[in-house]
Amino acid sequence: MLARGMTLTTRPALLFVCLGNICRSPLAEAAFRLEAGLAGLAVEADSAGTGDWHVGNPPDLRAQAVALRHGVDISGYQARQVQPADFERFDWIFALDLDNLSALRRLAPTAPRARLSLLLDMVPGREGEPVADPYFGNDAGFDVTWRDVSDAARALVARLG
Ligand code: 4NP
């Protein structure tokens, strides 16, 4: 029961998932927080990896740098591995690419709370496309990642707002 004067908040809770949780999904989380904030939309956002190699680590320095160039400090983020419980904690889980979408489908309980989608399915004309993994590439790849996740973040905010 709600006390008199309290209102129910229905903040959508979104989780972004890549492989390592040090490049793409922290940037997706950051871009989504940024765009939601600009739109005045209250949200819950987090990110995770399907792999466990980088658990506890901050984002890749190149990911930190591109986020900072766009005004977001992600140096305090810590990588974690996605858990089956995430399917009950979140309304919507976004895979950054098709391998991670498959991994999430294998992990998902039957009848989860969370919807599961490929992130770029939110961007008209880019349905079915992955956000390319910039980890083994150069700095310019991180600008491409930022552009992709920002396009998705804007589309998501428009959809949720
Ligand atoms: P992410 O990038 O999945 O976008 O965080 C990667 C990070 C680390 C590795 C691969 C991809 N790795 O092989 O360690």
Side-chain angles (χ1 to χ4, degrees):
M1 169 83 80
L2 288 172
R4 189 189 295 271
M6 286 182 71
T7 52
L8 272 176
T9 56
T10 53
R11 303 201 307 174
L14 274 57
L15 178 68
F16 301 91
V17 178
C18 63
L19 181 60
N21 192 208
I22 57 169
C23 297
R24 291 166 293 174
S25 62
L27 290 177
E29 177 187 344
F32 179 63
R33 287 182 183 279
L34 176 65
E35 294 297 335
L38 289 172
L41 183 70
V43 295
E44 288 185 25
D46 195 7
S47 61
T50 54
D52 66 358
W53 309 281
H54 299 283
V55 167
N57 292 346
D60 186 285
L61 291 175
R62 298 164 296 175
Q64 292 190 37
V66 73
L68 208 51
R69 285 201 292 282
H70 293 274
V72 191
D73 180 0
I74 62 169
S75 61
Y77 288 17
Q78 276 198 331
R80 72 173 182 89
Q81 190 174 26
V82 68
Q83 305 294 325
D86 287 320
F87 286 86
E88 305 307 329
R89 277 183 58 200
F90 291 92
D91 299 302
W92 213 340
I93 299 178
F94 290 96
L96 275 281
D97 66 25
L98 292 163
D99 286 341
N100 288 299
L101 185 62
S102 299
L104 286 165
R105 285 198 175 118
R106 286 193 294 275
L107 193 65
T110 45
R113 165 185 170 192
R115 291 173 69 177
L116 180 57
S117 299
L118 187 67
L119 184 64
L120 286 181
D121 278 355
M122 298 300 109
V123 181
R126 300 204 60 191
E127 296 88 350
E129 288 186 34
V131 173
D133 185 351
Y135 182 67
F136 294 106
N138 57 24
D139 286 359
F142 284 79
D143 289 316
V144 174
T145 307
W146 181 264
R147 193 189 61 209
D148 285 352
V149 298
S150 294
D151 286 350
R154 279 189 288 274
L156 264 173
V157 166
R159 185 169 174 149
L160 296 168

